Short mmCIF file of all heavy atoms in Angstrom, two decimals:
data_model
loop_
_atom_site.label_atom_id
_atom_site.label_comp_id
_atom_site.label_asym_id
_atom_site.label_seq_id
_atom_site.Cartn_x
_atom_site.Cartn_y
_atom_site.Cartn_z
N GLY X 272 2.01 -7.77 23.28
CA GLY X 272 1.25 -6.62 22.82
C GLY X 272 1.84 -5.34 23.38
O GLY X 272 2.43 -5.32 24.47
N TYR X 273 1.73 -4.28 22.62
CA TYR X 273 2.15 -2.94 23.02
C TYR X 273 0.85 -2.16 23.16
O TYR X 273 0.30 -1.68 22.18
CB TYR X 273 3.07 -2.38 21.94
CG TYR X 273 3.61 -0.97 22.15
CD1 TYR X 273 3.39 -0.22 23.30
CD2 TYR X 273 4.37 -0.38 21.15
CE1 TYR X 273 3.89 1.05 23.44
CE2 TYR X 273 4.90 0.90 21.28
CZ TYR X 273 4.65 1.61 22.43
OH TYR X 273 5.16 2.87 22.57
N ASP X 274 0.34 -2.06 24.40
CA ASP X 274 -1.00 -1.52 24.60
C ASP X 274 -1.03 -0.01 24.52
O ASP X 274 -1.77 0.57 23.73
CB ASP X 274 -1.56 -1.99 25.94
CG ASP X 274 -1.75 -3.50 25.99
OD1 ASP X 274 -1.87 -4.10 24.90
OD2 ASP X 274 -1.76 -4.06 27.09
N GLU X 275 -0.23 0.65 25.36
CA GLU X 275 -0.31 2.11 25.43
C GLU X 275 1.05 2.69 25.80
O GLU X 275 1.90 2.02 26.38
CB GLU X 275 -1.34 2.55 26.48
CG GLU X 275 -2.77 2.16 26.12
CD GLU X 275 -3.75 2.55 27.20
OE1 GLU X 275 -3.81 1.86 28.23
OE2 GLU X 275 -4.45 3.56 27.00
N ALA X 276 1.24 3.97 25.45
CA ALA X 276 2.39 4.74 25.90
C ALA X 276 1.88 6.13 26.28
O ALA X 276 1.16 6.76 25.49
CB ALA X 276 3.45 4.82 24.82
N PHE X 277 2.22 6.57 27.49
CA PHE X 277 1.77 7.87 27.98
C PHE X 277 2.97 8.76 28.24
O PHE X 277 4.01 8.30 28.72
CB PHE X 277 1.02 7.72 29.31
CG PHE X 277 -0.12 6.75 29.28
CD1 PHE X 277 0.02 5.47 29.78
CD2 PHE X 277 -1.35 7.13 28.76
CE1 PHE X 277 -1.03 4.58 29.77
CE2 PHE X 277 -2.40 6.24 28.75
CZ PHE X 277 -2.25 4.96 29.25
N GLY X 278 2.78 10.04 27.95
CA GLY X 278 3.74 11.01 28.44
C GLY X 278 3.39 11.35 29.88
O GLY X 278 2.26 11.78 30.17
N LEU X 283 8.11 8.70 30.30
CA LEU X 283 7.08 7.97 29.57
C LEU X 283 6.72 6.72 30.36
O LEU X 283 7.55 6.15 31.07
CB LEU X 283 7.61 7.53 28.20
CG LEU X 283 8.18 8.62 27.30
CD1 LEU X 283 9.21 8.03 26.37
CD2 LEU X 283 7.06 9.27 26.50
N GLN X 284 5.49 6.31 30.22
CA GLN X 284 5.07 5.04 30.78
C GLN X 284 4.56 4.16 29.64
O GLN X 284 3.71 4.57 28.86
CB GLN X 284 3.99 5.21 31.83
CG GLN X 284 3.65 3.91 32.54
CD GLN X 284 2.56 4.10 33.56
OE1 GLN X 284 2.05 5.20 33.72
NE2 GLN X 284 2.20 3.04 34.25
N VAL X 285 5.13 2.95 29.53
CA VAL X 285 4.83 2.03 28.42
C VAL X 285 4.21 0.77 29.02
O VAL X 285 4.76 0.17 29.94
CB VAL X 285 6.11 1.68 27.64
CG1 VAL X 285 5.79 0.82 26.43
CG2 VAL X 285 6.82 2.96 27.19
N THR X 286 3.06 0.36 28.47
CA THR X 286 2.36 -0.80 29.04
C THR X 286 2.03 -1.81 27.95
O THR X 286 1.85 -1.47 26.79
CB THR X 286 1.05 -0.39 29.73
OG1 THR X 286 0.15 0.15 28.76
CG2 THR X 286 1.31 0.66 30.79
N GLY X 287 1.94 -3.07 28.37
CA GLY X 287 1.56 -4.16 27.46
C GLY X 287 1.87 -5.50 28.09
O GLY X 287 1.89 -5.63 29.33
N TRP X 288 2.14 -6.49 27.26
CA TRP X 288 2.43 -7.84 27.77
C TRP X 288 3.33 -8.57 26.79
O TRP X 288 3.39 -8.24 25.61
CB TRP X 288 1.13 -8.63 27.99
CG TRP X 288 0.32 -8.82 26.73
CD1 TRP X 288 -0.55 -7.94 26.18
CD2 TRP X 288 0.34 -9.95 25.86
NE1 TRP X 288 -1.08 -8.45 25.01
CE2 TRP X 288 -0.56 -9.68 24.80
CE3 TRP X 288 1.02 -11.16 25.87
CZ2 TRP X 288 -0.79 -10.59 23.77
CZ3 TRP X 288 0.79 -12.07 24.85
CH2 TRP X 288 -0.12 -11.76 23.82
N ILE X 302 12.59 -1.66 25.07
CA ILE X 302 11.93 -0.38 24.81
C ILE X 302 12.98 0.61 24.34
O ILE X 302 14.01 0.79 25.00
CB ILE X 302 11.23 0.16 26.07
CG1 ILE X 302 10.19 -0.83 26.58
CG2 ILE X 302 10.58 1.51 25.79
CD1 ILE X 302 9.55 -0.43 27.90
N TYR X 333 3.81 -5.76 31.46
CA TYR X 333 4.81 -4.74 31.77
C TYR X 333 4.12 -3.38 31.84
O TYR X 333 3.16 -3.11 31.12
CB TYR X 333 5.96 -4.72 30.76
CG TYR X 333 5.58 -4.45 29.32
CD1 TYR X 333 5.48 -3.15 28.82
CD2 TYR X 333 5.34 -5.50 28.45
CE1 TYR X 333 5.15 -2.90 27.50
CE2 TYR X 333 5.00 -5.28 27.12
CZ TYR X 333 4.90 -3.97 26.65
OH TYR X 333 4.57 -3.74 25.34
N SER X 334 4.56 -2.58 32.79
CA SER X 334 4.12 -1.19 32.93
C SER X 334 5.35 -0.42 33.38
O SER X 334 5.65 -0.32 34.57
CB SER X 334 2.98 -1.08 33.95
OG SER X 334 2.54 0.26 34.06
N GLN X 335 6.10 0.07 32.40
CA GLN X 335 7.46 0.54 32.64
C GLN X 335 7.57 2.05 32.49
O GLN X 335 7.16 2.63 31.48
CB GLN X 335 8.43 -0.13 31.68
CG GLN X 335 9.87 0.22 31.91
CD GLN X 335 10.37 -0.28 33.27
OE1 GLN X 335 10.10 -1.41 33.65
NE2 GLN X 335 11.08 0.58 33.99
N VAL X 346 8.53 5.92 20.41
CA VAL X 346 8.71 4.88 21.41
C VAL X 346 8.37 3.53 20.78
O VAL X 346 7.23 3.31 20.35
CB VAL X 346 7.82 5.12 22.64
CG1 VAL X 346 8.12 4.08 23.73
CG2 VAL X 346 8.04 6.52 23.18
N VAL X 348 8.67 -0.88 20.89
CA VAL X 348 8.80 -2.04 21.78
C VAL X 348 8.96 -3.28 20.93
O VAL X 348 8.27 -3.45 19.91
CB VAL X 348 7.56 -2.19 22.69
CG1 VAL X 348 7.73 -3.38 23.63
CG2 VAL X 348 7.33 -0.92 23.50
N LYS X 359 5.01 3.95 18.76
CA LYS X 359 4.03 5.00 18.98
C LYS X 359 4.77 6.32 19.17
O LYS X 359 5.89 6.35 19.68
CB LYS X 359 3.17 4.71 20.22
CG LYS X 359 2.35 3.41 20.14
CD LYS X 359 1.54 3.19 21.41
CE LYS X 359 0.92 1.79 21.43
NZ LYS X 359 -0.11 1.61 20.40
N VAL X 361 4.82 9.74 21.22
CA VAL X 361 4.34 10.15 22.53
C VAL X 361 4.98 11.49 22.90
O VAL X 361 6.15 11.73 22.60
CB VAL X 361 4.69 9.10 23.61
CG1 VAL X 361 4.05 9.46 24.93
CG2 VAL X 361 4.26 7.71 23.17
N HIS X 444 -9.50 -2.93 35.75
CA HIS X 444 -9.80 -1.52 35.55
C HIS X 444 -8.57 -0.78 35.03
O HIS X 444 -7.43 -1.17 35.31
CB HIS X 444 -10.24 -0.87 36.87
CG HIS X 444 -11.49 -1.47 37.44
ND1 HIS X 444 -12.75 -1.13 37.02
CD2 HIS X 444 -11.66 -2.42 38.40
CE1 HIS X 444 -13.64 -1.82 37.70
NE2 HIS X 444 -13.01 -2.62 38.55
N ASN X 445 -8.83 0.31 34.29
CA ASN X 445 -7.79 1.24 33.88
C ASN X 445 -7.79 2.40 34.87
O ASN X 445 -8.79 3.11 35.00
CB ASN X 445 -8.05 1.76 32.46
CG ASN X 445 -7.85 0.69 31.42
OD1 ASN X 445 -6.89 -0.05 31.48
ND2 ASN X 445 -8.75 0.61 30.46
N VAL X 446 -6.67 2.58 35.53
CA VAL X 446 -6.57 3.58 36.59
C VAL X 446 -5.48 4.58 36.22
O VAL X 446 -4.34 4.20 35.95
CB VAL X 446 -6.24 2.93 37.95
CG1 VAL X 446 -6.16 3.97 39.04
CG2 VAL X 446 -7.27 1.86 38.29
N CYS X 447 -5.83 5.88 36.19
CA CYS X 447 -4.87 6.94 35.87
C CYS X 447 -4.85 7.93 37.03
O CYS X 447 -5.89 8.27 37.61
CB CYS X 447 -5.24 7.65 34.58
SG CYS X 447 -5.13 6.60 33.11
N CYS X 458 -0.66 5.61 34.28
CA CYS X 458 -1.89 4.84 34.07
C CYS X 458 -1.55 3.36 34.24
O CYS X 458 -0.50 2.90 33.80
CB CYS X 458 -2.46 5.08 32.67
SG CYS X 458 -3.21 6.71 32.47
N TYR X 459 -2.49 2.61 34.84
CA TYR X 459 -2.21 1.23 35.22
C TYR X 459 -3.44 0.36 34.98
O TYR X 459 -4.58 0.82 35.10
CB TYR X 459 -1.82 1.15 36.71
CG TYR X 459 -0.73 2.11 37.09
CD1 TYR X 459 -1.02 3.42 37.48
CD2 TYR X 459 0.60 1.73 37.02
CE1 TYR X 459 -0.02 4.31 37.81
CE2 TYR X 459 1.62 2.62 37.35
CZ TYR X 459 1.31 3.92 37.73
OH TYR X 459 2.30 4.81 38.04
N LYS X 460 -3.20 -0.90 34.64
CA LYS X 460 -4.26 -1.90 34.59
C LYS X 460 -4.24 -2.65 35.91
O LYS X 460 -3.24 -3.28 36.26
CB LYS X 460 -4.06 -2.85 33.42
CG LYS X 460 -4.22 -2.18 32.07
CD LYS X 460 -4.17 -3.20 30.95
CE LYS X 460 -4.25 -2.52 29.59
NZ LYS X 460 -5.49 -1.79 29.39
#
Side-chain angles (χ1 to χ4, degrees):
Y273 179 5
D274 296 337
E275 294 178 283
F277 306 100
L283 305 153
Q284 186 181 1
V285 185
T286 65
W288 60 277
I302 301 175
Y333 60 87
S334 181
Q335 184 64 45
V346 185
V348 181
K359 299 179 189 293
V361 186
H444 298 279
N445 290 316
V446 181
C447 295
C458 288
Y459 309 87
K460 293 187 183 298

